[in-house]
Amino acid sequence: MTEAFLPFTRPSIDDETLAGVVDVLRSGWITSGPRVAELEEALASRFGPARRVLCYAHATGALEESLRAIGVGPGDEVIVPAMTFAASANVILRVGATPVFVDVELTTRNLAAHAVAAALSPRTRAIMPVHFSGLPVDLDALHALARRHHLIVVEDAAHAIGARYRGREIGSFGDLACFSFHANKNMTTIEGAAISLPAGQSGWIDRLERLRFHGLRKAEDGSYDVELAAGKHNLSDVAARVGLGQLKRLDEFNRRRGELAGYYFDRLESNPWGLVLPERGDMGHAWHMFTVLVPFETLGFERRQLQERMRAHGIGIGMHYPALPPLSLYRSLCDWHPGQFPNAERIGRETVTLPLFPAMTEADVDRVCRVLGEVLGGASA
Ligand SMILES: Cc1ncc(COP(=O)(O)O)c(C=O)c1O
C-alpha cells in the first residue's frame, strides 16, 4: 500500500468553522463587517487592554501600510534580515525607502541586536525584524537599541502568531507587530493578516484605518471625505469567520507543533550527515516551520535531488528562504558580493523545510526522518 502524500504544510479547518463560513455566506453580508470586528476584538483581548488590532487582507499590505503610517518614506532606511521572504524587503521599497540588509544568526535564523547596531545610519528610521519560523527575536535588546536611536520597531510577525518572548505574547507589547494568516501559517484566514499596536497610538491607528480602505474618512451622517490616495486591504467576513474558528484552536495547534518539533529533535539531534538543526528556543517558539541546514556540497548532492527523491517517497519539503541580497532586485542596493552575508547565504543554499502541521502524527515524523536518512545515506554512499 502506498502511503498518503505528506505535504510540508496543511491547514486544519474543522467542521464547526466550515458551518460558520456557510452561515456567513448565507447571511447576505460577506465582506468586511461584524465577523472582522469580532476577530479584531478576539485578538485584542488576547493581547491585552493596552493593544488595538486591525485586520488586513495580507501581511504584505499590513507591513507596507505600517511603514507608511509611522512616516517611513523616500530617503529613509529600514533594517531588515538578509534571509527572509521577499515581502519583508519589497514593502520597504514600495514606500520609497531603502532596505538595509543585516546578516542573521545561523541557528536562530534571526537578527541579533549587535549586528543591527552596526548597520544603523543617520537615515535609519525603523527596524523590521522577522521572528523566523515563530522563534522570537531578542526584542528587549532591539527595543533598547531602538529607544537609544529613536527608531520604531515594526515586527514582521508573519510566522509568529501565538509565539511568546520571555513569557509575553508577541503582539502584546512593542510598537507594531504584523501577523500573517496566509494558508500555511499557524492560524489562517486563507489570506489575511492582523496588525497589533498600542491602543494609545491614535495617530498610527487613524492612518492605518485610512490606508486600509481608499483613504476614506466617514462622517456620522454616512457621507465621507477622501484624505489619502490609499489602496484597499480590507479582510472579508468570510475570511474572518475562518480566522475565528482557527483562533479558538491556536494554542492547541501551537502545542502540537511544539510536540512534533520535539519528535524531530529526538530523531535528528545526533545525525551522521552534519545537519544543522534550528534553535530550540524556550517554550515561546510557535514552530511555524522546522527548517534544517543540509551540507549539500559536502554530501555531493543537490537540494533539487533531495526534493525529487523525497517527493518520490510521497513527502513534500519546502525551501525557506533564499538569501535576499543576491537576488536581482536587491543586489545593487548593497553592492552584493558572495560571502557578504555568510549565514544568510549559507542558509539560502542549505535550508530544507520538513513537514510540520498540527494534524501530523509521530509516525509521520518517523517516516520523514527515515526517508531523509535513506536519501542522505544513499547520497554519501
Ligand atoms: C517573513 C514574512 N513576511 C511577510 C510575509 C507576507 O505575508 P502574506 O502572505 O500574508 O502577505 C510572509 C509570507 O509568508 C513571510 O514569510
PDB file of all heavy atoms in Angstrom, residues 36-55 161 164 169-173 179 194-197 199 244 247-248 250-251:
ATOM      1  N   VAL A  36     -15.280  40.501  11.022  1.00  0.00           N
ATOM      2  CA  VAL A  36     -13.944  41.113  11.092  1.00  0.00           C
ATOM      3  C   VAL A  36     -13.797  41.831  12.437  1.00  0.00           C
ATOM      4  O   VAL A  36     -12.778  41.682  13.131  1.00  0.00           O
ATOM      5  CB  VAL A  36     -13.705  42.081   9.910  1.00  0.00           C
ATOM      6  CG1 VAL A  36     -12.417  42.868  10.122  1.00  0.00           C
ATOM      7  CG2 VAL A  36     -13.646  41.318   8.591  1.00  0.00           C
ATOM      8  N   ALA A  37     -14.846  42.555  12.831  1.00  0.00           N
ATOM      9  CA  ALA A  37     -14.792  43.262  14.131  1.00  0.00           C
ATOM     10  C   ALA A  37     -14.608  42.256  15.263  1.00  0.00           C
ATOM     11  O   ALA A  37     -13.835  42.491  16.209  1.00  0.00           O
ATOM     12  CB  ALA A  37     -16.073  44.075  14.329  1.00  0.00           C
ATOM     13  N   GLU A  38     -15.299  41.118  15.162  1.00  0.00           N
ATOM     14  CA  GLU A  38     -15.193  40.089  16.203  1.00  0.00           C
ATOM     15  C   GLU A  38     -13.773  39.508  16.276  1.00  0.00           C
ATOM     16  O   GLU A  38     -13.230  39.296  17.360  1.00  0.00           O
ATOM     17  CB  GLU A  38     -16.195  38.979  15.862  1.00  0.00           C
ATOM     18  CG  GLU A  38     -16.604  38.124  17.023  1.00  0.00           C
ATOM     19  CD  GLU A  38     -17.620  37.049  16.570  1.00  0.00           C
ATOM     20  OE1 GLU A  38     -18.457  37.312  15.662  1.00  0.00           O
ATOM     21  OE2 GLU A  38     -17.546  35.936  17.113  1.00  0.00           O
ATOM     22  N   LEU A  39     -13.190  39.285  15.101  1.00  0.00           N
ATOM     23  CA  LEU A  39     -11.824  38.740  15.086  1.00  0.00           C
ATOM     24  C   LEU A  39     -10.837  39.764  15.665  1.00  0.00           C
ATOM     25  O   LEU A  39      -9.943  39.408  16.445  1.00  0.00           O
ATOM     26  CB  LEU A  39     -11.422  38.334  13.659  1.00  0.00           C
ATOM     27  CG  LEU A  39     -10.019  37.738  13.508  1.00  0.00           C
ATOM     28  CD1 LEU A  39      -9.834  36.482  14.375  1.00  0.00           C
ATOM     29  CD2 LEU A  39      -9.718  37.401  12.040  1.00  0.00           C
ATOM     30  N   GLU A  40     -11.026  41.035  15.304  1.00  0.00           N
ATOM     31  CA  GLU A  40     -10.136  42.073  15.853  1.00  0.00           C
ATOM     32  C   GLU A  40     -10.256  42.141  17.374  1.00  0.00           C
ATOM     33  O   GLU A  40      -9.255  42.243  18.091  1.00  0.00           O
ATOM     34  CB  GLU A  40     -10.473  43.440  15.232  1.00  0.00           C
ATOM     35  CG  GLU A  40     -10.080  43.516  13.764  1.00  0.00           C
ATOM     36  CD  GLU A  40     -10.408  44.843  13.094  1.00  0.00           C
ATOM     37  OE1 GLU A  40     -11.249  45.603  13.627  1.00  0.00           O
ATOM     38  OE2 GLU A  40      -9.838  45.106  12.032  1.00  0.00           O
ATOM     39  N   GLU A  41     -11.506  42.040  17.863  1.00  0.00           N
ATOM     40  CA  GLU A  41     -11.704  42.098  19.319  1.00  0.00           C
ATOM     41  C   GLU A  41     -11.113  40.877  20.003  1.00  0.00           C
ATOM     42  O   GLU A  41     -10.504  40.974  21.071  1.00  0.00           O
ATOM     43  CB  GLU A  41     -13.197  42.211  19.650  1.00  0.00           C
ATOM     44  CG  GLU A  41     -13.682  43.640  19.566  1.00  0.00           C
ATOM     45  CD  GLU A  41     -15.195  43.728  19.399  1.00  0.00           C
ATOM     46  OE1 GLU A  41     -15.900  42.817  19.876  1.00  0.00           O
ATOM     47  OE2 GLU A  41     -15.651  44.701  18.767  1.00  0.00           O
ATOM     48  N   ALA A  42     -11.293  39.711  19.385  1.00  0.00           N
ATOM     49  CA  ALA A  42     -10.769  38.471  19.995  1.00  0.00           C
ATOM     50  C   ALA A  42      -9.244  38.528  20.080  1.00  0.00           C
ATOM     51  O   ALA A  42      -8.652  38.134  21.093  1.00  0.00           O
ATOM     52  CB  ALA A  42     -11.225  37.263  19.184  1.00  0.00           C
ATOM     53  N   LEU A  43      -8.622  39.039  19.033  1.00  0.00           N
ATOM     54  CA  LEU A  43      -7.162  39.146  19.057  1.00  0.00           C
ATOM     55  C   LEU A  43      -6.722  40.193  20.075  1.00  0.00           C
ATOM     56  O   LEU A  43      -5.778  39.982  20.840  1.00  0.00           O
ATOM     57  CB  LEU A  43      -6.637  39.500  17.663  1.00  0.00           C
ATOM     58  CG  LEU A  43      -6.652  38.352  16.644  1.00  0.00           C
ATOM     59  CD1 LEU A  43      -6.523  38.885  15.213  1.00  0.00           C
ATOM     60  CD2 LEU A  43      -5.535  37.345  16.923  1.00  0.00           C
ATOM     61  N   ALA A  44      -7.441  41.331  20.095  1.00  0.00           N
ATOM     62  CA  ALA A  44      -7.071  42.405  21.032  1.00  0.00           C
ATOM     63  C   ALA A  44      -7.240  41.935  22.467  1.00  0.00           C
ATOM     64  O   ALA A  44      -6.423  42.262  23.336  1.00  0.00           O
ATOM     65  CB  ALA A  44      -7.901  43.653  20.768  1.00  0.00           C
ATOM     66  N   SER A  45      -8.256  41.127  22.739  1.00  0.00           N
ATOM     67  CA  SER A  45      -8.421  40.690  24.133  1.00  0.00           C
ATOM     68  C   SER A  45      -7.339  39.680  24.489  1.00  0.00           C
ATOM     69  O   SER A  45      -6.927  39.575  25.640  1.00  0.00           O
ATOM     70  CB  SER A  45      -9.831  40.174  24.424  1.00  0.00           C
ATOM     71  OG  SER A  45     -10.025  38.946  23.804  1.00  0.00           O
ATOM     72  N   ARG A  46      -6.830  38.966  23.513  1.00  0.00           N
ATOM     73  CA  ARG A  46      -5.684  38.075  23.748  1.00  0.00           C
ATOM     74  C   ARG A  46      -4.444  38.892  24.112  1.00  0.00           C
ATOM     75  O   ARG A  46      -3.659  38.516  24.982  1.00  0.00           O
ATOM     76  CB  ARG A  46      -5.440  37.312  22.456  1.00  0.00           C
ATOM     77  CG  ARG A  46      -4.919  35.932  22.614  1.00  0.00           C
ATOM     78  CD  ARG A  46      -4.655  35.295  21.286  1.00  0.00           C
ATOM     79  NE  ARG A  46      -3.483  34.489  21.432  1.00  0.00           N
ATOM     80  CZ  ARG A  46      -3.489  33.175  21.657  1.00  0.00           C
ATOM     81  NH1 ARG A  46      -4.604  32.517  21.711  1.00  0.00           N
ATOM     82  NH2 ARG A  46      -2.358  32.530  21.817  1.00  0.00           N
ATOM     83  N   PHE A  47      -4.275  40.010  23.398  1.00  0.00           N
ATOM     84  CA  PHE A  47      -3.050  40.795  23.587  1.00  0.00           C
ATOM     85  C   PHE A  47      -3.132  41.761  24.775  1.00  0.00           C
ATOM     86  O   PHE A  47      -2.117  42.316  25.180  1.00  0.00           O
ATOM     87  CB  PHE A  47      -2.726  41.589  22.314  1.00  0.00           C
ATOM     88  CG  PHE A  47      -2.421  40.716  21.117  1.00  0.00           C
ATOM     89  CD1 PHE A  47      -2.824  41.090  19.842  1.00  0.00           C
ATOM     90  CD2 PHE A  47      -1.721  39.531  21.261  1.00  0.00           C
ATOM     91  CE1 PHE A  47      -2.535  40.297  18.736  1.00  0.00           C
ATOM     92  CE2 PHE A  47      -1.430  38.724  20.170  1.00  0.00           C
ATOM     93  CZ  PHE A  47      -1.839  39.111  18.906  1.00  0.00           C
ATOM     94  N   GLY A  48      -4.341  42.002  25.275  1.00  0.00           N
ATOM     95  CA  GLY A  48      -4.470  42.839  26.469  1.00  0.00           C
ATOM     96  C   GLY A  48      -5.025  44.221  26.163  1.00  0.00           C
ATOM     97  O   GLY A  48      -4.994  44.679  25.014  1.00  0.00           O
ATOM     98  N   PRO A  49      -5.530  44.894  27.215  1.00  0.00           N
ATOM     99  CA  PRO A  49      -6.263  46.159  27.031  1.00  0.00           C
ATOM    100  C   PRO A  49      -5.411  47.288  26.460  1.00  0.00           C
ATOM    101  O   PRO A  49      -5.950  48.270  25.952  1.00  0.00           O
ATOM    102  CB  PRO A  49      -6.739  46.501  28.452  1.00  0.00           C
ATOM    103  CG  PRO A  49      -5.885  45.686  29.369  1.00  0.00           C
ATOM    104  CD  PRO A  49      -5.445  44.470  28.609  1.00  0.00           C
ATOM    105  N   ALA A  50      -4.091  47.149  26.539  1.00  0.00           N
ATOM    106  CA  ALA A  50      -3.242  48.245  26.039  1.00  0.00           C
ATOM    107  C   ALA A  50      -3.051  48.163  24.524  1.00  0.00           C
ATOM    108  O   ALA A  50      -2.351  48.994  23.951  1.00  0.00           O
ATOM    109  CB  ALA A  50      -1.886  48.190  26.732  1.00  0.00           C
ATOM    110  N   ARG A  51      -3.661  47.168  23.889  1.00  0.00           N
ATOM    111  CA  ARG A  51      -3.409  46.970  22.454  1.00  0.00           C
ATOM    112  C   ARG A  51      -4.670  47.161  21.621  1.00  0.00           C
ATOM    113  O   ARG A  51      -5.795  46.949  22.082  1.00  0.00           O
ATOM    114  CB  ARG A  51      -2.880  45.545  22.193  1.00  0.00           C
ATOM    115  CG  ARG A  51      -1.655  45.199  22.966  1.00  0.00           C
ATOM    116  CD  ARG A  51      -0.466  46.077  22.647  1.00  0.00           C
ATOM    117  NE  ARG A  51       0.139  45.769  21.353  1.00  0.00           N
ATOM    118  CZ  ARG A  51       1.266  46.313  20.920  1.00  0.00           C
ATOM    119  NH1 ARG A  51       1.917  47.206  21.675  1.00  0.00           N
ATOM    120  NH2 ARG A  51       1.761  46.002  19.751  1.00  0.00           N
ATOM    121  N   ARG A  52      -4.459  47.548  20.370  1.00  0.00           N
ATOM    122  CA  ARG A  52      -5.530  47.640  19.386  1.00  0.00           C
ATOM    123  C   ARG A  52      -5.120  46.739  18.219  1.00  0.00           C
ATOM    124  O   ARG A  52      -3.932  46.639  17.901  1.00  0.00           O
ATOM    125  CB  ARG A  52      -5.646  49.097  18.959  1.00  0.00           C
ATOM    126  CG  ARG A  52      -6.630  49.379  17.865  1.00  0.00           C
ATOM    127  CD  ARG A  52      -8.081  49.307  18.365  1.00  0.00           C
ATOM    128  NE  ARG A  52      -8.937  49.299  17.178  1.00  0.00           N
ATOM    129  CZ  ARG A  52      -9.359  50.378  16.559  1.00  0.00           C
ATOM    130  NH1 ARG A  52      -9.059  51.575  17.028  1.00  0.00           N
ATOM    131  NH2 ARG A  52     -10.104  50.278  15.463  1.00  0.00           N
ATOM    132  N   VAL A  53      -6.088  46.078  17.592  1.00  0.00           N
ATOM    133  CA  VAL A  53      -5.791  45.184  16.473  1.00  0.00           C
ATOM    134  C   VAL A  53      -6.601  45.596  15.253  1.00  0.00           C
ATOM    135  O   VAL A  53      -7.800  45.862  15.347  1.00  0.00           O
ATOM    136  CB  VAL A  53      -6.103  43.709  16.840  1.00  0.00           C
ATOM    137  CG1 VAL A  53      -5.972  42.808  15.615  1.00  0.00           C
ATOM    138  CG2 VAL A  53      -5.170  43.223  17.948  1.00  0.00           C
ATOM    139  N   LEU A  54      -5.938  45.663  14.111  1.00  0.00           N
ATOM    140  CA  LEU A  54      -6.618  45.930  12.838  1.00  0.00           C
ATOM    141  C   LEU A  54      -6.338  44.762  11.899  1.00  0.00           C
ATOM    142  O   LEU A  54      -5.168  44.407  11.688  1.00  0.00           O
ATOM    143  CB  LEU A  54      -6.080  47.211  12.189  1.00  0.00           C
ATOM    144  CG  LEU A  54      -6.312  48.516  12.933  1.00  0.00           C
ATOM    145  CD1 LEU A  54      -5.640  49.669  12.195  1.00  0.00           C
ATOM    146  CD2 LEU A  54      -7.797  48.798  13.078  1.00  0.00           C
ATOM    147  N   CYS A  55      -7.389  44.168  11.344  1.00  0.00           N
ATOM    148  CA  CYS A  55      -7.188  43.101  10.367  1.00  0.00           C
ATOM    149  C   CYS A  55      -6.924  43.702   8.997  1.00  0.00           C
ATOM    150  O   CYS A  55      -7.482  44.750   8.641  1.00  0.00           O
ATOM    151  CB  CYS A  55      -8.410  42.189  10.304  1.00  0.00           C
ATOM    152  SG  CYS A  55      -8.463  41.042  11.692  1.00  0.00           S
ATOM    153  N   ILE A 161       2.269  34.077  15.136  1.00  0.00           N
ATOM    154  CA  ILE A 161       1.048  34.210  15.942  1.00  0.00           C
ATOM    155  C   ILE A 161       1.071  33.154  17.059  1.00  0.00           C
ATOM    156  O   ILE A 161       1.298  31.972  16.810  1.00  0.00           O
ATOM    157  CB  ILE A 161      -0.230  34.122  15.071  1.00  0.00           C
ATOM    158  CG1 ILE A 161      -1.481  34.428  15.909  1.00  0.00           C
ATOM    159  CG2 ILE A 161      -0.374  32.783  14.359  1.00  0.00           C
ATOM    160  CD1 ILE A 161      -1.677  35.858  16.245  1.00  0.00           C
ATOM    161  N   ARG A 164       5.698  33.452  22.118  1.00  0.00           N
ATOM    162  CA  ARG A 164       5.911  34.219  23.340  1.00  0.00           C
ATOM    163  C   ARG A 164       7.390  34.531  23.504  1.00  0.00           C
ATOM    164  O   ARG A 164       8.237  33.691  23.210  1.00  0.00           O
ATOM    165  CB  ARG A 164       5.425  33.435  24.562  1.00  0.00           C
ATOM    166  CG  ARG A 164       3.957  33.059  24.483  1.00  0.00           C
ATOM    167  CD  ARG A 164       3.522  32.264  25.704  1.00  0.00           C
ATOM    168  NE  ARG A 164       3.232  33.133  26.827  1.00  0.00           N
ATOM    169  CZ  ARG A 164       2.084  33.780  26.981  1.00  0.00           C
ATOM    170  NH1 ARG A 164       1.121  33.641  26.095  1.00  0.00           N
ATOM    171  NH2 ARG A 164       1.888  34.564  28.018  1.00  0.00           N
ATOM    172  N   GLU A 169       3.239  37.387  25.127  1.00  0.00           N
ATOM    173  CA  GLU A 169       2.886  37.004  23.764  1.00  0.00           C
ATOM    174  C   GLU A 169       3.328  38.072  22.757  1.00  0.00           C
ATOM    175  O   GLU A 169       3.178  39.277  22.999  1.00  0.00           O
ATOM    176  CB  GLU A 169       1.364  36.797  23.668  1.00  0.00           C
ATOM    177  CG  GLU A 169       0.952  36.309  22.300  1.00  0.00           C
ATOM    178  CD  GLU A 169      -0.335  35.505  22.306  1.00  0.00           C
ATOM    179  OE1 GLU A 169      -0.796  35.079  23.379  1.00  0.00           O
ATOM    180  OE2 GLU A 169      -0.879  35.310  21.210  1.00  0.00           O
ATOM    181  N   ILE A 170       3.872  37.624  21.645  1.00  0.00           N
ATOM    182  CA  ILE A 170       4.226  38.559  20.562  1.00  0.00           C
ATOM    183  C   ILE A 170       2.934  39.253  20.124  1.00  0.00           C
ATOM    184  O   ILE A 170       1.912  38.609  19.889  1.00  0.00           O
ATOM    185  CB  ILE A 170       4.873  37.796  19.373  1.00  0.00           C
ATOM    186  CG1 ILE A 170       6.201  37.163  19.786  1.00  0.00           C
ATOM    187  CG2 ILE A 170       5.052  38.717  18.157  1.00  0.00           C
ATOM    188  CD1 ILE A 170       7.277  38.129  20.220  1.00  0.00           C
ATOM    189  N   GLY A 171       2.979  40.570  20.045  1.00  0.00           N
ATOM    190  CA  GLY A 171       1.773  41.341  19.714  1.00  0.00           C
ATOM    191  C   GLY A 171       1.181  42.012  20.942  1.00  0.00           C
ATOM    192  O   GLY A 171       0.354  42.904  20.820  1.00  0.00           O
ATOM    193  N   SER A 172       1.592  41.576  22.145  1.00  0.00           N
ATOM    194  CA  SER A 172       1.008  42.158  23.353  1.00  0.00           C
ATOM    195  C   SER A 172       1.828  43.333  23.884  1.00  0.00           C
ATOM    196  O   SER A 172       1.475  43.942  24.876  1.00  0.00           O
ATOM    197  CB  SER A 172       0.849  41.087  24.443  1.00  0.00           C
ATOM    198  OG  SER A 172       2.119  40.662  24.899  1.00  0.00           O
ATOM    199  N   PHE A 173       2.951  43.635  23.212  1.00  0.00           N
ATOM    200  CA  PHE A 173       3.791  44.764  23.625  1.00  0.00           C
ATOM    201  C   PHE A 173       4.583  45.223  22.403  1.00  0.00           C
ATOM    202  O   PHE A 173       4.544  44.580  21.349  1.00  0.00           O
ATOM    203  CB  PHE A 173       4.739  44.340  24.770  1.00  0.00           C
ATOM    204  CG  PHE A 173       5.697  43.241  24.387  1.00  0.00           C
ATOM    205  CD1 PHE A 173       7.032  43.526  24.082  1.00  0.00           C
ATOM    206  CD2 PHE A 173       5.277  41.929  24.288  1.00  0.00           C
ATOM    207  CE1 PHE A 173       7.917  42.524  23.714  1.00  0.00           C
ATOM    208  CE2 PHE A 173       6.151  40.912  23.905  1.00  0.00           C
ATOM    209  CZ  PHE A 173       7.467  41.212  23.622  1.00  0.00           C
ATOM    210  N   PHE A 179       1.025  40.153  11.750  1.00  0.00           N
ATOM    211  CA  PHE A 179       0.892  38.692  11.654  1.00  0.00           C
ATOM    212  C   PHE A 179       0.295  38.333  10.297  1.00  0.00           C
ATOM    213  O   PHE A 179      -0.591  39.039   9.807  1.00  0.00           O
ATOM    214  CB  PHE A 179      -0.062  38.176  12.738  1.00  0.00           C
ATOM    215  CG  PHE A 179       0.397  38.485  14.132  1.00  0.00           C
ATOM    216  CD1 PHE A 179      -0.085  39.607  14.806  1.00  0.00           C
ATOM    217  CD2 PHE A 179       1.318  37.676  14.775  1.00  0.00           C
ATOM    218  CE1 PHE A 179       0.342  39.915  16.087  1.00  0.00           C
ATOM    219  CE2 PHE A 179       1.754  37.964  16.064  1.00  0.00           C
ATOM    220  CZ  PHE A 179       1.266  39.088  16.720  1.00  0.00           C
ATOM    221  N   ALA A 194      -3.133  40.573  10.585  1.00  0.00           N
ATOM    222  CA  ALA A 194      -3.553  41.500  11.639  1.00  0.00           C
ATOM    223  C   ALA A 194      -2.347  42.311  12.078  1.00  0.00           C
ATOM    224  O   ALA A 194      -1.222  41.805  12.088  1.00  0.00           O
ATOM    225  CB  ALA A 194      -4.132  40.740  12.827  1.00  0.00           C
ATOM    226  N   ILE A 195      -2.629  43.566  12.418  1.00  0.00           N
ATOM    227  CA  ILE A 195      -1.594  44.437  12.994  1.00  0.00           C
ATOM    228  C   ILE A 195      -1.975  44.675  14.446  1.00  0.00           C
ATOM    229  O   ILE A 195      -3.116  45.057  14.728  1.00  0.00           O
ATOM    230  CB  ILE A 195      -1.544  45.807  12.272  1.00  0.00           C
ATOM    231  CG1 ILE A 195      -1.397  45.634  10.757  1.00  0.00           C
ATOM    232  CG2 ILE A 195      -0.423  46.678  12.847  1.00  0.00           C
ATOM    233  CD1 ILE A 195      -1.564  46.931   9.978  1.00  0.00           C
ATOM    234  N   SER A 196      -1.041  44.451  15.350  1.00  0.00           N
ATOM    235  CA  SER A 196      -1.266  44.795  16.757  1.00  0.00           C
ATOM    236  C   SER A 196      -0.387  45.998  17.080  1.00  0.00           C
ATOM    237  O   SER A 196       0.801  46.016  16.732  1.00  0.00           O
ATOM    238  CB  SER A 196      -0.881  43.615  17.657  1.00  0.00           C
ATOM    239  OG  SER A 196      -0.870  44.056  19.000  1.00  0.00           O
ATOM    240  N   LEU A 197      -0.988  46.990  17.709  1.00  0.00           N
ATOM    241  CA  LEU A 197      -0.225  48.201  18.048  1.00  0.00           C
ATOM    242  C   LEU A 197      -0.784  48.811  19.329  1.00  0.00           C
ATOM    243  O   LEU A 197      -1.881  48.419  19.761  1.00  0.00           O
ATOM    244  CB  LEU A 197      -0.213  49.191  16.883  1.00  0.00           C
ATOM    245  CG  LEU A 197      -1.459  49.984  16.492  1.00  0.00           C
ATOM    246  CD1 LEU A 197      -1.108  51.044  15.474  1.00  0.00           C
ATOM    247  CD2 LEU A 197      -2.551  49.106  15.932  1.00  0.00           C
ATOM    248  N   ALA A 199      -2.854  50.778  21.886  1.00  0.00           N
ATOM    249  CA  ALA A 199      -4.169  51.418  21.778  1.00  0.00           C
ATOM    250  C   ALA A 199      -4.044  52.945  21.868  1.00  0.00           C
ATOM    251  O   ALA A 199      -4.883  53.675  21.346  1.00  0.00           O
ATOM    252  CB  ALA A 199      -5.088  50.888  22.867  1.00  0.00           C
ATOM    253  N   LEU A 244     -11.774  33.107  13.132  1.00  0.00           N
ATOM    254  CA  LEU A 244     -12.345  32.940  14.480  1.00  0.00           C
ATOM    255  C   LEU A 244     -12.296  31.472  14.901  1.00  0.00           C
ATOM    256  O   LEU A 244     -11.960  31.151  16.046  1.00  0.00           O
ATOM    257  CB  LEU A 244     -13.791  33.470  14.512  1.00  0.00           C
ATOM    258  CG  LEU A 244     -13.898  34.999  14.524  1.00  0.00           C
ATOM    259  CD1 LEU A 244     -15.304  35.453  14.126  1.00  0.00           C
ATOM    260  CD2 LEU A 244     -13.530  35.556  15.902  1.00  0.00           C
ATOM    261  N   LEU A 247      -8.579  30.736  15.598  1.00  0.00           N
ATOM    262  CA  LEU A 247      -8.037  31.370  16.803  1.00  0.00           C
ATOM    263  C   LEU A 247      -8.395  30.566  18.057  1.00  0.00           C
ATOM    264  O   LEU A 247      -7.591  30.432  18.974  1.00  0.00           O
ATOM    265  CB  LEU A 247      -8.550  32.813  16.905  1.00  0.00           C
ATOM    266  CG  LEU A 247      -8.011  33.638  18.066  1.00  0.00           C
ATOM    267  CD1 LEU A 247      -6.495  33.748  18.025  1.00  0.00           C
ATOM    268  CD2 LEU A 247      -8.645  35.035  18.080  1.00  0.00           C
ATOM    269  N   LYS A 248      -9.622  30.025  18.054  1.00  0.00           N
ATOM    270  CA  LYS A 248     -10.058  29.197  19.189  1.00  0.00           C
ATOM    271  C   LYS A 248      -9.103  28.036  19.419  1.00  0.00           C
ATOM    272  O   LYS A 248      -8.962  27.549  20.524  1.00  0.00           O
ATOM    273  CB  LYS A 248     -11.435  28.607  18.852  1.00  0.00           C
ATOM    274  CG  LYS A 248     -12.580  29.251  19.531  1.00  0.00           C
ATOM    275  CD  LYS A 248     -13.772  28.323  19.457  1.00  0.00           C
ATOM    276  CE  LYS A 248     -14.994  29.131  19.100  1.00  0.00           C
ATOM    277  NZ  LYS A 248     -16.102  28.359  18.607  1.00  0.00           N
ATOM    278  N   LEU A 250      -5.823  27.975  18.300  1.00  0.00           N
ATOM    279  CA  LEU A 250      -4.419  28.343  18.073  1.00  0.00           C
ATOM    280  C   LEU A 250      -3.473  27.722  19.108  1.00  0.00           C
ATOM    281  O   LEU A 250      -2.427  27.174  18.754  1.00  0.00           O
ATOM    282  CB  LEU A 250      -4.274  29.871  18.049  1.00  0.00           C
ATOM    283  CG  LEU A 250      -2.842  30.382  17.887  1.00  0.00           C
ATOM    284  CD1 LEU A 250      -2.266  30.002  16.531  1.00  0.00           C
ATOM    285  CD2 LEU A 250      -2.776  31.900  18.078  1.00  0.00           C
ATOM    286  N   ASP A 251      -3.847  27.796  20.392  1.00  0.00           N
ATOM    287  CA  ASP A 251      -2.932  27.292  21.423  1.00  0.00           C
ATOM    288  C   ASP A 251      -2.755  25.779  21.287  1.00  0.00           C
ATOM    289  O   ASP A 251      -1.650  25.258  21.447  1.00  0.00           O
ATOM    290  CB  ASP A 251      -3.439  27.666  22.818  1.00  0.00           C
ATOM    291  CG  ASP A 251      -3.395  29.175  23.029  1.00  0.00           C
ATOM    292  OD1 ASP A 251      -2.566  29.832  22.376  1.00  0.00           O
ATOM    293  OD2 ASP A 251      -4.210  29.693  23.811  1.00  0.00           O
TER     294      ASP A 251
END
